[in-house]
Amino acid sequence: MITYEDGRLRALAEDGRWPELLAAYRQGRAAAVAEAGEEAAAALTAPLGHLIAYAAPPELAVRLFDRDGGAGTAAGVADHDAGPLWEVLATRHSWLRLAPLLGPAPVRRLVAHTRALLGEDLGYGAEPDPEGVPLRLEPWEAAGWDEAARVREYLPGGGARSALLTLPASREGLGEVELPPLAGQPGDRPDGPRVARALAGLGALAPWAQTVCVRGRAPAAAALLARDRRVVGGYLPFALAYPALVRAAAVGRAQGCAHGRLGLWRALAAMAGAAGSHGVDGRGAPGGQGEADAVDTADRGEVNALVARMRCFTWQEPSAGLHHLHVALEDPVGGVAWAVSGSQEL
């Protein structure tokens, strides 16, 4: 296994001999791919990849992802140690430094959105996002959390620090709430392609959680997932729920917070579309295109309008893992509410 603790590699790093370290990474990764397969190779070489992404000059660090070294030598978007190698790289250098150097489109996109999460405005000069997600944070995205806590803080020799995913984080501002009776009529569960895409987007954020959608208000959605009818809960601004929803996608080391931001915008675009498509069942797609085949491109104005009117309800569960998320998102215009609830131990 190639690790930073290898004396020879540590000496090369201390001497700044990055081309030799990159060559060692590529040689080791290709050999491991041939012997054990792509997934095993990514794990075996990730510690050295982390070191290069963290400490090497950007002109060399970006070459971790280039395929000019031959088959099996390049890191992909899933290569990770304490976190994805592309996220390590993105925390170390500005987009101005990285943009002329980064090649592979999937890595380039994730790095760009990581830089946006870190407060950089890429709205001018960067290629537009293929799904229309803005390359700078909207005010409601920036309002709920400190810049320093938006992405993992990576350490030079490996490892990272990150905030725990907890929503709600405490009982502060919450009170005893009686949830409504469980919805029992078939019409209480809206369907349609846009609703399905919104649920899929929320489910992708936290695959360890359950998701539901109902006609009605947020507590009705919460009632489908909460363990008890009487809970400690309450409403909070969407801006305060946003950080937990983004972090949910980055609970595992293979994904970064850029995955969470993109996934949440995808879900919000579907929610906004459901509200504006003459009913949440999604019938009547224009231009003869079936909505099952449509792709929700994020309309910034529609998403901002949805967030402005969104009502968010959160509640506590009697037993929750160190990562937990219990929130229902209500769109009063569309008359529907989505809920996400689950917990996970470290």
Side-chain angles (χ1 to χ4, degrees):
M1 179 175 177
I2 301 174
T3 72
Y4 177 55
E5 296 306 319
D6 184 303
R8 181 178 65 88
L9 298 179
R10 186 168 63 250
L12 291 176
E14 291 171 353
D15 291 342
R17 294 162 67 178
W18 298 110
E20 294 172 64
L21 283 168
L22 178 63
Y25 173 85
R26 287 178 163 182
Q27 181 180 3
R29 195 180 190 286
V33 168
E35 182 177 342
E38 184 72 27
E39 186 175 347
L44 289 170
T45 56
L48 179 54
H50 176 106
L51 172 64
I52 295 171
Y54 184 94
E59 293 79 9
L60 186 134
V62 297
R63 296 183 62 198
L64 283 168
F65 309 99
D66 289 345
R67 300 188 181 277
D68 58 359
T73 61
V77 295
D79 284 50
H80 64 279
D81 185 32
L85 299 186
W86 53 262
E87 188 173 70
V88 179
L89 177 68
T91 64
R92 302 297 295 161
H93 308 285
S94 70
W95 182 249
L96 186 65
R97 292 289 305 278
L98 294 172
L101 306 170
L102 277 170
V107 172
R108 188 177 178 87
R109 185 189 188 202
L110 291 166
V111 168
H113 282 283
T114 304
R115 292 307 310 172
L117 278 167
L118 291 171
E120 198 168 349
D121 184 350
L122 281 61
Y124 300 96
E127 59 269 23
D129 183 81
E131 291 183 89
V133 180
L135 288 170
R136 63 178 178 183
L137 295 185
E138 294 297 306
W140 50 267
E141 292 184 275
W145 53 354
D146 294 331
E147 184 175 314
R150 294 175 191 165
V151 180
R152 296 179 182 97
E153 178 191 355
Y154 289 100
L155 306 176
R161 302 187 186 99
S162 60
L164 285 177
L165 162 64
T166 54
L167 185 68
S170 69
R171 296 174 64 100
E172 185 177 356
L174 306 180
E176 292 284 336
V177 177
E178 183 81 19
L179 297 178
L182 293 179
Q185 301 300 319
D188 292 335
R189 299 288 189 94
D191 57 10
R194 290 187 184 274
V195 170
R197 287 197 290 274
L199 284 171
L202 292 171
L205 292 177
W208 38 270
Q210 293 179 279
T211 59
V212 295
C213 179
V214 300
R215 298 182 190 275
R217 302 182 62 184
L224 290 175
L225 299 180
R227 296 184 183 182
D228 300 307
R229 287 278 307 281
R230 181 170 291 277
V231 299
V232 175
Y235 285 91
L236 75 166
F238 182 78
L240 297 183
Y242 175 78
L245 289 166
V246 170
R247 286 195 194 109
V251 167
R253 294 180 178 183
Q255 299 216 89
C257 284
H259 285 113
R261 182 173 189 247
L262 289 168
L264 184 53
W265 269 86
R266 195 173 295 126
L268 291 172
M271 291 179 188
S277 61
H278 305 291
V280 296
D281 61 359
R283 292 191 295 268
Q289 181 185 19
E291 287 224 9
D293 301 321
V295 175
D296 290 305
T297 300
D299 182 297
R300 181 180 168 190
E302 287 187 357
V303 170
N304 282 338
L306 172 66
V307 169
R309 66 179 183 260
M310 187 95 76
R311 303 193 73 211
C312 302
F313 178 84
T314 187
W315 72 97
Q316 284 193 324
E317 292 287 357
S319 176
L322 290 177
H323 295 296
H324 60 266
L325 179 64
H326 308 293
V327 64
L329 308 173
E330 173 191 331
D331 178 4
V333 170
V336 294
W338 289 263
V340 186
S341 179
S343 65
Q344 186 181 58
E345 296 292 346
L346 288 175

